[in-house]
Amino acid sequence: MSAQVTLLGVRHHGPGSARAVAAALAALQPDAVLIEGPPEADELTGLAAEKDMVPPVALLAHVSDDPARAAFWPLAEFSPEWVALRYAADAGVPVRFIDLPAGQSLALGPRGSNPGATEEADGASEEEEEGSGVPGGTSGPAPVDPIAELAAAAGHLDPEAWWEDVIEHRAPGDDPLAPFAALAEAMSALREHHPVERRDRIREAAMRQQIRAARRAGHRTIAVVCGAWHVPALAVMPTVAHDRALLAELPKKLKTELTWVPWTHRRLSQHTGYGAGIDSPGWYHHLYTTPEQPIARWMTKVAELLRAEDHPVSSAHVIEAIRLADTLAAMRGRPLPGLTETLDAVRAVMCDGSDLALALIHDRLVVGDALGEVPDGAPAVPLQRDLTRLQRTLRLKPEATSRELVLDLRKDLDAERSRLLHRLRLLGLHWGRIVRDSVQSTGTFRETWQLAWEPEFSVRLVEAGQWGTTVQGAATGKAVADAATAELTALTELAEHCLLAALPDALPEVMRRLADRAALDTDAGHLATALPALVRTLRYGDVRATDTSALTAVALGLAERLCVALPAACTGLDADGASARRTEIDAVHQAIALLSSTAVGEQWAGTLTAIAAREPHGGPATGVPGLLRGRAVRLLLDDGRIDAAEAGRRLGLVLSVASGPLDAAGWVEGLVSGGGALLLHDPALLGLIDTWLCGVPADTFTDLLPVLRRTFSSLETGVRHTVGSRVAAGPLSTSVADSGPDIEMDAERADATTPVLALLLGVQVGIPRQLDRRAG
């Protein structure tokens, strides 16, 4: 008796296809289930029956000695392949994957120029979409979009809407195999008019070999779940020699390792990278899991979400939105409301036409943040197991939804959480990202993280396994390896990361490399960038009770060398270079203030004085730009190294006719930036600037306008208004000595206030005779 092979052609990640597969398998009751996928995963199929296996999940395959070469096969609850896996597990029948082995697919190289191409009913496996390798490269005929072809033949312009109407919204009928027969006939017609890619012919040869193997194993009722595009090629078997000849062209299979990893709906929705190109996984999940009254229950979900976000939505809104969706479907000739009609109704009724509220619904419900789970029994590298253990110990559950985590480093639990997140950052796994200035705190004991788990972190963990079997060991190994080739700026950042991550075995090697690089580097820009990072590291070391004596010595040495090199490095800069150097000077100024070294502080003051005095007498290339000279004067003034009279004198010299207008405007910008209260407390400086501006020629003033606008727009709103009112009130003094006019006091008028003040203060004083007579 010959075996009965039933081909169930599907669209990957289609809820309608998933329901049809479930109905067909229940009717067929096969004794073997074959699924399009990598055969190396056969040993992992039993995990699909585990209660801790919660989709979306993905099969991960990577080359054993090159983990960066990896591929994923994502599966959601509404994927026909997942339905077939669960049926086989529940029914206790054998299940096998029948596509090309992952080791050969990865050996073949990437598929064309768009590895993340959207998956259609052509049956392209998830492995191919991830760019993991297929025969033929970019040569050969362009891939066919079967859905678009069929929709066009049916007279529909929107392929997705047509597919929803005929497949996704269709419930299984009396004959569960009828839709598969119709789809197979349509694909046969398409393949007659479109050339088949060579890579597809090779994959189909591999699938036919697996079907033959299932027959030889004695199975009599075989169900094959594959992409609908492949069904015609699997329905008619060529000779075994023909298929062997095709498979003989494959390269040698690479050694690979496979496992299950958690996946997310959001990653399924992406068309590039490791996405599957499903625009609305949350909507598809709802259609599959809610076969009864899907639109009414969807509207209820929308209402719950909007209410949680403080949008006023009542039961009447829900009822009216359902009616409008049904009406739109009828007007557009659709059997049931699709996602388009549903969102149109939601926008009109529940969102009051707001695209912002609709964007929230799209993000939370249409796409969704579902994150799958994988049981502990799934194969994993030691590093992954150590991270899982730490996540449980520290109560840091990975979640696809972004959330904020505020840590108080004075608490042991939060300190350990911080170390873990910093160690993962060193490994390139940015599960958490530091949020700067999210919490108003001047201390170094608080950290704020934004956490969001991404599925591809599984690949990063496999790659990082080369550095160690634990998170701490791998981070240490990675830091030491990076230190061997890093430049000065990168080394200072690496030292900071080692301190934050508490890597005592890596820090000495990093510090040795840092000291060597600092002694040889003569670039003032590198030194100016490195010093603030080192000082920041010292501050973090204080709260973590770490020995930072080595860091302090290196920081002091950097500061001394920078003080010597900076004046020359500020000479002859253009506008962009001067702006960048000003930012560096500000950062260095703050860093030196935190070093608490009197000697270095005095040396830095001398450096600022030298910068302020280097005027471009022989042309712009011979001196320091006005922006930097003015900034140096402002920093000296803020530190009390000079007084307002000296600052005013220097400003007067710069604004004289001997200086160019652009240089003078830059000087003013450097002086004023960072706080305009200086102009309010010293009217003489404001008067000097006002007088200079009034004397600038009209044609020159036009050139100065961008600089002036940039300067004064950086001031606080209240300061700008006060400066404007003072200038509008009349001429301002341009002399520090004349800034406060001497006015002789009127003694008689002053005496008149004494009784009132005495009354308010509750004291007895003599009453002037003028008031005494009026009282009598």
Side-chain angles (χ1 to χ4, degrees), residues 440-719:
Q440 297 298 324
S441 175
T442 58
T444 60
F445 60 84
R446 190 185 300 275
E447 280 183 349
T448 303
W449 295 81
Q450 200 73 30
L451 301 183
W453 185 264
E454 299 290 346
E456 59 264 29
F457 290 162
S458 301
V459 177
R460 303 278 176 84
L461 283 169
V462 175
E463 294 178 22
Q466 61 182 305
W467 306 111
T469 57
T470 65
V471 175
Q472 181 176 353
T476 298
K478 182 70 162 53
V480 171
D482 290 347
T485 57
E487 297 298 330
L488 179 61
T489 303
L491 275 170
T492 57
E493 295 176 354
L494 186 58
E496 180 182 10
H497 291 161
C498 288
L499 194 63
L500 298 177
L503 301 177
D505 295 334
L507 191 58
E509 177 64 17
V510 174
M511 290 307 306
R512 185 182 68 80
R513 298 278 185 178
L514 178 59
D516 293 343
R517 292 284 193 279
L520 298 175
D521 202 320
T522 58
D523 189 295
H526 293 170
L527 298 175
T529 304
L531 182 61
L534 274 181
V535 174
R536 186 170 58 247
T537 304
L538 290 171
R539 295 185 69 217
Y540 278 114
D542 293 339
V543 74
R544 288 172 170 79
T546 307
D547 182 12
T548 58
S549 56
L551 281 175
T552 303
V554 174
L556 291 174
L558 278 179
E560 292 175 357
R561 297 183 61 225
L562 183 60
C563 289
V564 175
L566 193 58
C570 292
T571 302
L573 298 175
D574 59 10
D576 292 338
S579 178
R581 189 54 45 86
R582 184 193 70 173
T583 302
E584 294 172 355
I585 289 175
D586 286 346
V588 170
H589 185 76
Q590 295 177 2
I592 289 180
L594 294 173
L595 275 177
S596 302
S597 172
T598 304
V600 173
E602 292 295 333
Q603 192 173 359
W604 175 245
T607 299
L608 292 176
T609 302
I611 293 174
R614 287 201 176 194
E615 298 182 3
H617 296 298
T622 63
V624 175
L627 176 67
L628 301 182
R629 302 199 317 274
R631 193 62 189 157
V633 170
R634 175 59 184 270
L635 295 177
L636 290 170
L637 179 63
D638 290 345
D639 281 356
R641 302 283 181 175
I642 61 175
D643 56 18
E646 175 63 16
R649 184 187 70 82
R650 298 192 183 201
L651 177 61
L653 293 174
V654 170
L655 300 183
S656 65
V657 294
S659 299
L662 286 175
D663 184 72
W667 203 101
V668 172
E669 181 182 1
L671 178 72
V672 174
S673 60
L678 175 68
L679 298 178
L680 301 183
H681 296 305
D682 197 331
L685 295 180
L686 181 59
L688 286 170
I689 296 175
D690 181 54
T691 303
W692 168 67
L693 281 177
C694 292
V696 172
D699 54 345
T700 305
F701 183 80
T702 303
D703 297 333
L704 293 179
L705 196 55
V707 179
L708 297 173
R709 281 180 173 172
R710 183 174 65 241
T711 300
F712 288 97
S713 65
S714 65
L715 303 182
E716 303 87 340
T717 303
V719 172

Side-chain angles (χ1 to χ4, degrees), residues 104 120 145 198 229 388 476 539 661 678:
Q104 287 180 320
E120 300 296 347
D145 183 353
R198 175 171 166 269
W229 177 253
T388 301
T476 298
R539 295 185 69 217
L678 175 68

Side-chain angles (χ1 to χ4, degrees), residues 54 81 92 161 170 177 227 237 301 333-334 338 385 390 394 408 453 465 498 552 559 566 581 586 656 675 711 731 754:
V54 181
E81 297 87 348
R170 183 184 182 278
L177 299 180
M237 289 280 188
K301 286 185 178 180
R334 306 192 65 178
R385 295 192 181 280
L390 291 171
L394 301 178
D408 186 343
W453 185 264
C498 288
T552 303
L566 193 58
R581 189 54 45 86
D586 286 346
S656 65
T711 300
T754 302

Side-chain angles (χ1 to χ4, degrees), residues 182-203:
L183 198 55
E185 182 180 356
M187 292 300 163
S188 297
L190 284 176
R191 289 177 69 112
E192 290 177 0
H193 296 85
H194 294 281
V196 180
E197 287 185 307
R198 175 171 166 269
R199 51 175 289 275
D200 280 341
R201 294 197 301 271
I202 294 178
R203 291 180 54 224

